[in-house]
Amino acid sequence: MDQKSYRRESFQSSTSDEDMLEIAGASLDFSMAEDDPPLDREMGGFSSYNGGEMNGTSTMMDFLEEPLPGVGTYEDFNTIDWVREKSRDRDRHREITSRSKESTWALIHSVSDAFSGWLLMLLIGLLAGSLAGLIDISAHWMTDLKEGVCLAGFWFNHEHCCWKSNTTFTDRDKCPEWKSWSQLILGHGEGAFAYILNYFMYVVWALLFSLLAVLLVKGFAPYACGSGIPEIKTILSGFIIRGYLGKWTLIIKTITLVLAVSSGLSLGKEGPLVHVACCCGNILCHLFTKYRKNEAKRREVLSAAAAAGVSVAFGAPIGGVLFSLEEVSYYFPLKTLWRSFFAALVAAFTLRSINPFGNSRLVLFYVEFHMPWHLLELVPFILLGIFGGLWGAFFIRSNISWCRRRKTTKLGKYPVLEVFVVTSITAVLAFPNEYTRMSTSELISELFNDCGILDSSKLCEYVNDFNSTKGDDLPDRAAGPGVYTAMWQLALALIMKVFITIFTFGMKVPSGLFIPSMAVGAIAGRLLGVAMEQLAYYHHDWAIFSGWCSQGADCITPGLYAMVGAAACLGGVTRMTVSLVVIMFELTGGLEYIVPLMAAAMTSKWVADAIGREGIYDAHIRLNGYPFLEAKEEFSHKTLAMDVMRPRRNDPPLTVITQDSMTVEDVESIISETTYSGYPVVVSRESQRLVGFVLRRDLIISIENARKKQDGIVSTSVIYFTDHSPPLPPSSPSMLKLRSILDLSPFTVTDQTPMEIVVDIFRKLGLRQCLVTHNGKLLGIITKKDVLKHIAQLANQDPDSILFN
């Protein structure tokens, strides 16, 4: 392999993960600008690496006494070494603590270092809350812009426009300040032509918003598409995707999220808000050395940022912390739990101060129920759980097969056309039905609503008997024509949402899944709730109702069924349980409805797990081939380390570096001929006794810097990893000591170690690789990718799929 090829492989390698073996070709182009810069650019002209010799004296160079910029850092698409990162942080902390006793300035530095984590959480909460408020206000205004404009000020949405109007309560949505597009252009809003014009303007605005979103994503930040949660999970497990949490991704995701939600596509902003919050966390980490230079510490911050993201998405700080713990975090110590809670609290407080919806609530669909539920109602709640599980399993299978088709066919080459087609179909089908025309958050709010006396919605058009009305509580009443019309429209909306969401999630625009899933469940729940209400009204003398539902009583709350259905469908898709129940409880402010929510969430998880074990995020991680080792799954096979390690039988021998007998040229040759990201160091090729492990990146940086800054380092200079230099003839060139970059305590297992234990070690310690020995001699190596391929093979899946498809 020539030197040009060697440079490309060494410094801009996109070889996946930490594979120690040759990888034939890369399958992704990640040539975009790096927002989260590696330390390469601090190394100067490091990419001009060459093997040119330099004449020098025969003195020995005791190199790397001072740490070099870039040594100990990671290349893009590699896994971090959790053990090494935690060890480095402990060393740093010990040094600061010991120095704090020497002077007042050192003591102040120690206190500021301890306080920096809390200050960072405060900044993340403030920034995430502010951005969420901006997104909420903008999306609300632009959604209403599809239907009309406010004459008092074009920046007002429909609701804010009518606040100062003198119209009656029943006509509060028909204030003179708000004009539909037909009223503005034609001068009147009635008739077929006015309807067609409004229809046309709705579709045009939807297409404009969605096309602008996809073009911005495609042109400036390809990582801004999707929900971001599968990638966040992978990053939190220790994987590095540079630029995914960078400043351009944050800016474009914030803008395009508003556009995508406003376009009326079947997607939500809640999942992408987690990505936005994590971008905030990653960018703010650069203000603090402790987090900027340590990848493990940075991941603790990102776990807290994810909690803040859910906190502002649902107005649920405790639910956000539990979501981060249950769903996205890989390493979650107790300290991170407290800091996550603080970040979520600050974020929720900031959003509450902004008050984006003008109702002192953090979300559009906050609701309070006052009537208790009866034990017999658990049966329909469990039925909703079954529906949620079936919908979740159906959605995951359908969406994954569609996304796989997008990846493997020409469809994936035309993201703009795909967005255009899906938006056109969505807008054309959505406008005639008022429940699909409104934003999904407003739809959920309408479905959760408990009908009161002043409600003018079709869902509340019951036949009123005011003689039986007691205070604010309305008894169960016969459904009027408006309710029956609403039921038909909701049934059609349900069918549309079920199918259109499959094709929407995964397009090249920011797209969350929480809100569409909740909408499907809320529609199904409301339909069942109204059916139960009418059953109780007309057949209150039946045995199932006679004990607790007398005539004229308010027995059934359809809005509660909608809420339970929403929780069931969201649980079926994501497989969340504890965090889901807490989020829904915080949304409604009612402790007494926890049991129905728990019953529905658990039922949906059991049903969905019976059909397929993976949630939607895990399924997308596997589809994209990310090296994510799921901590929740059991490894139950009886294989041994020798069955998985490399090299296998008939493979070339393991590439190793000897501790004191190889020259600079020998090591450069090994680096240029292989793509491994690290090499075991042994006493000699004959003995194969293990000394340690050295990373490819550290070797390259160290040799390059030695050539530039040390006299006498030439291609024939001997590299040694021992404390003392080996005896060499006086005329030999200077030797290069690289002991400081050698990991002297690599994890090792014997060849007879059960893979069950090996997998457990990889999961719990976050290892990149593990060396295999036999009677104390080095035998082979197991990388994280080898473990993932082995698990895929045992599950009858394609093992080569763990390679960034």
Side-chain angles (χ1 to χ4, degrees):
M1 186 179 291
D2 61 14
Q3 286 296 331
K4 184 179 178 183
S5 170
Y6 161 54
R7 289 198 299 274
R8 186 185 69 248
E9 286 285 331
S10 305
F11 313 123
Q12 297 169 359
S13 169
S14 63
T15 54
S16 51
D17 196 19
E18 65 291 354
D19 206 347
M20 302 296 160
L21 295 131
E22 296 279 2
I23 298 173
S27 51
L28 276 187
D29 176 21
F30 296 105
S31 55
M32 57 177 290
E34 295 171 351
D35 288 1
D36 178 11
L39 292 167
D40 297 353
R41 58 190 66 156
E42 296 175 23
M43 301 164 208
F46 147 77
S47 62
S48 60
Y49 183 21
N50 59 68
E53 296 188 9
M54 293 172 61
N55 295 323
T57 60
S58 60
T59 55
M60 179 193 70
M61 291 296 156
D62 192 6
F63 191 56
L64 284 184
E65 289 304 317
E66 289 296 320
L68 278 174
V71 169
T73 60
Y74 305 94
E75 288 186 343
D76 205 0
F77 305 104
N78 269 242
T79 299
I80 70 168
D81 190 331
W82 284 91
V83 177
R84 183 171 74 165
E85 296 295 304
K86 296 303 290 180
S87 174
R88 283 165 59 184
D89 184 62
R90 280 194 298 270
D91 291 343
R92 184 197 61 82
H93 188 261
R94 271 195 292 265
E95 186 181 351
I96 290 174
T97 306
S98 63
R99 284 183 180 176
S100 66
K101 299 168 185 174
E102 296 172 4
S103 67
T104 308
W105 175 249
L107 180 63
I108 293 170
H109 179 247
S110 174
V111 172
S112 68
D113 181 77
F115 184 68
S116 62
W118 296 101
L119 178 60
L120 181 55
M121 294 304 122
L122 177 69
L123 294 174
I124 289 169
L126 290 171
L127 185 55
S130 303
L131 286 175
L134 176 68
I135 289 167
D136 285 338
I137 292 168
S138 305
H140 204 171
W141 169 64
M142 290 175 69
T143 300
D144 288 346
L145 196 60
K146 298 202 302 268
E147 297 185 31
V149 68
C150 184
L151 297 182
F154 74 92
W155 55 87
F156 289 125
N157 63 41
H158 193 166
E159 185 182 354
H160 292 174
C161 186
C162 295
W163 271 358
K164 295 179 182 178
S165 176
N166 295 321
T167 51
T168 60
F169 186 82
T170 50
D171 293 332
R172 62 190 181 277
D173 289 336
K174 300 172 184 173
C175 60
E177 290 86 355
W178 180 265
K179 298 290 183 184
S180 68
W181 291 110
S182 62
Q183 288 172 327
L184 203 65
I185 296 168
L186 301 176
H188 62 88
E190 304 298 326
F193 192 61
Y195 179 84
I196 291 168
L197 181 62
N198 284 331
Y199 202 150
F200 174 75
M201 291 301 294
Y202 181 91
V203 175
V204 167
W205 278 112
L207 287 172
L208 178 66
F209 292 155
S210 62
L211 288 176
L212 191 54
V214 71
L215 289 170
L216 284 171
V217 167
K218 188 182 178 187
F220 294 97
Y223 284 150
C225 67
S227 78
I229 292 180
E231 287 77 13
I232 298 289
K233 283 187 75 167
T234 309
I235 289 169
L236 289 179
S237 75
F239 197 57
I240 290 176
I241 309 177
R242 297 214 185 275
Y244 198 82
L245 301 176
K247 59 182 179 296
W248 273 111
T249 305
L250 174 63
I251 294 166
I252 297 301
K253 185 114 185 180
T254 304
I255 296 168
T256 54
L257 180 54
V258 173
L259 291 167
V261 170
S262 306
S263 69
L265 286 166
S266 185
L267 47 82
K269 62 181 182 296
E270 281 64 20
L273 275 174
V274 175
H275 187 184
V276 166
C278 285
C279 287
C280 296
N282 184 60
I283 291 165
L284 290 169
C285 274
H286 289 279
L287 301 176
F288 302 89
T289 310
K290 176 165 78 171
Y291 297 103
R292 183 174 71 245
K293 292 188 174 181
N294 193 294
E295 293 288 352
K297 295 293 290 179
R298 191 183 299 187
R299 273 150 184 76
E300 292 179 25
V301 173
L302 295 180
S303 291
V310 174
S311 172
V312 292
F314 289 104
I318 300 170
V321 174
L322 290 173
F323 173 82
S324 180
L325 174 61
E326 180 184 2
E327 190 62 28
V328 297
S329 292
Y330 199 82
Y331 173 67
F332 203 85
L334 192 60
K335 180 171 59 178
T336 304
L337 180 70
W338 301 332
R339 288 182 177 172
S340 300
F341 183 71
F342 180 62
L345 173 70
V346 173
F349 175 78
T350 305
L351 187 62
R352 171 67 179 77
S353 303
I354 295 170
N355 195 14
F357 301 110
N359 59 0
S360 300
R361 301 296 183 191
L362 299 182
V363 285
L364 195 59
F365 41 83
Y366 185 93
V367 66
E368 289 185 67
F369 301 124
H370 303 288
M371 290 306 299
W373 59 279
H374 194 270
L375 193 63
L376 287 172
E377 287 185 280
L378 274 179
V379 176
F381 293 153
I382 287 170
L383 286 175
L384 285 172
I386 294 169
F387 170 78
L390 293 172
W391 144 252
F394 165 75
F395 174 81
I396 291 167
R397 288 199 176 184
S398 306
N399 180 252
I400 290 298
S401 63
W402 176 251
C403 289
R404 187 174 287 115
R405 180 178 293 273
R406 184 189 288 130
K407 279 179 176 291
T408 54
T409 62
K410 290 183 178 179
L411 180 66
K413 295 178 182 177
Y414 305 103
V416 178
L417 180 63
E418 183 188 9
V419 169
F420 178 84
V421 170
V422 172
T423 308
S424 301
I425 294 169
T426 305
V428 168
L429 293 177
F431 187 84
N433 187 338
E434 66 176 282
Y435 292 111
T436 49
R437 189 190 318 161
M438 65 176 66
S439 76
T440 316
S441 293
E442 287 176 359
L443 170 63
I444 293 171
S445 178
E446 184 104 339
L447 295 167
F448 281 10
N449 184 38
D450 189 14
C451 288
I453 297 171
L454 297 175
D455 276 311
S456 57
S457 164
K458 274 190 196 173
L459 281 170
C460 297
E461 280 190 26
Y462 290 91
V463 177
N464 284 311
D465 179 7
F466 290 104
N467 295 324
S468 61
T469 302
K470 299 171 185 175
D472 291 335
D473 291 334
L474 290 173
D476 287 345
R477 299 158 290 166
V483 174
Y484 289 115
T485 306
M487 290 301 101
W488 279 111
Q489 288 180 322
L490 283 175
L492 292 173
L494 177 64
I495 295 167
M496 177 191 160
K497 292 277 183 190
V498 162
F499 289 103
I500 206 73
T501 308
I502 292 168
F503 302 100
T504 306
F505 187 70
M507 290 197 308
K508 298 302 177 190
V509 291
S511 53
L513 193 57
F514 283 27
I515 289 295
S517 301
M518 288 175 69
V520 167
I523 294 171
R526 188 78 188 204
L527 291 171
L528 182 61
V530 172
M532 285 291 293
E533 184 185 46
Q534 295 306 299
L535 198 64
Y537 176 78
Y538 286 110
H539 303 285
H540 56 86
D541 53 344
W542 282 10
I544 56 170
F545 298 118
S546 59
W548 57 284
C549 189
S550 57
Q551 188 172 11
D554 183 11
C555 309
I556 306 291
T557 308
L560 173 60
Y561 284 73
M563 187 182 77
V564 171
C569 282
L570 185 53
V573 171
T574 62
R575 309 298 160 87
M576 291 155 55
T577 49
V578 180
S579 53
L580 172 64
V581 171
V582 173
I583 286 169
M584 297 303 293
F585 147 64
E586 288 187 88
L587 275 179
T588 55
L591 266 171
E592 58 188 307
Y593 303 112
I594 279 187
V595 173
L597 289 170
M598 288 172 73
M602 283 310 302
T603 307
S604 71
K605 179 172 169 56
W606 285 335
V607 171
D609 280 349
I611 300 170
R613 296 285 298 174
E614 287 181 322
I616 185 67
Y617 301 129
D618 295 327
H620 272 273
I621 285 172
R622 189 163 58 81
L623 177 71
N624 292 322
Y626 297 133
F628 180 76
L629 198 54
E630 180 57 70
K632 298 171 191 169
E633 292 179 3
E634 295 279 330
F635 185 88
S636 55
H637 301 279
K638 293 184 177 180
T639 49
L640 300 175
M642 62 185 298
D643 302 324
V644 181
M645 73 173 193
R646 303 289 184 95
R648 305 273 171 82
R649 200 169 292 166
N650 303 323
D651 281 357
L654 188 67
T655 304
V656 296
I657 295 173
T658 55
Q659 67 174 358
D660 57 8
S661 61
M662 294 182 76
T663 64
V664 171
E665 188 177 28
D666 295 334
V667 173
E668 286 178 341
S669 177
I670 286 174
I671 292 171
S672 65
E673 290 169 5
T674 62
T675 56
Y676 313 152
S677 56
Y679 306 93
V681 177
V682 295
V683 173
S684 66
R685 292 186 187 279
E686 294 74 30
S687 74
Q688 289 290 308
R689 275 178 42 225
L690 184 64
V691 176
F693 192 84
V694 65
L695 292 177
R696 171 201 190 93
R697 181 179 174 85
D698 292 355
L699 270 176
I700 292 169
I701 295 169
S702 303
I703 294 173
E704 173 68 13
N705 274 271
R707 282 190 180 279
K708 285 182 179 178
K709 297 178 181 178
Q710 302 292 337
D711 292 334
I713 299 297
V714 293
S715 292
T716 53
S717 298
V718 172
I719 293 177
Y720 70 100
F721 295 91
T722 54
D723 273 329
H724 305 290
S725 60
L728 288 174
S731 60
S732 59
S734 302
M735 292 185 290
L736 179 57
K737 181 180 179 180
L738 295 181
R739 186 173 177 81
S740 62
I741 66 168
L742 180 66
D743 179 7
L744 290 165
S745 56
F747 269 85
T748 58
V749 295
T750 69
D751 55 340
Q752 296 301 310
T753 306
M755 275 305 293
E756 191 176 0
I757 294 173
V758 175
V759 170
D760 235 17
I761 291 171
F762 270 89
R763 278 178 182 156
K764 291 178 178 174
L765 294 178
L767 297 185
R768 298 179 63 171
Q769 71 278 320
C770 180
L771 300 173
V772 183
T773 61
H774 176 73
N775 294 338
K777 292 185 177 181
L778 181 65
L779 199 64
I781 189 167
I782 299 175
T783 67
K784 188 176 181 181
K785 187 165 277 82
D786 292 327
V787 172
L788 289 162
K789 285 183 176 181
H790 182 63
I791 292 172
Q793 225 166 359
L794 294 173
N796 295 320
Q797 296 166 1
D798 178 16
D800 291 326
S801 64
I802 316 295
L803 201 62
F804 304 123
N805 292 330

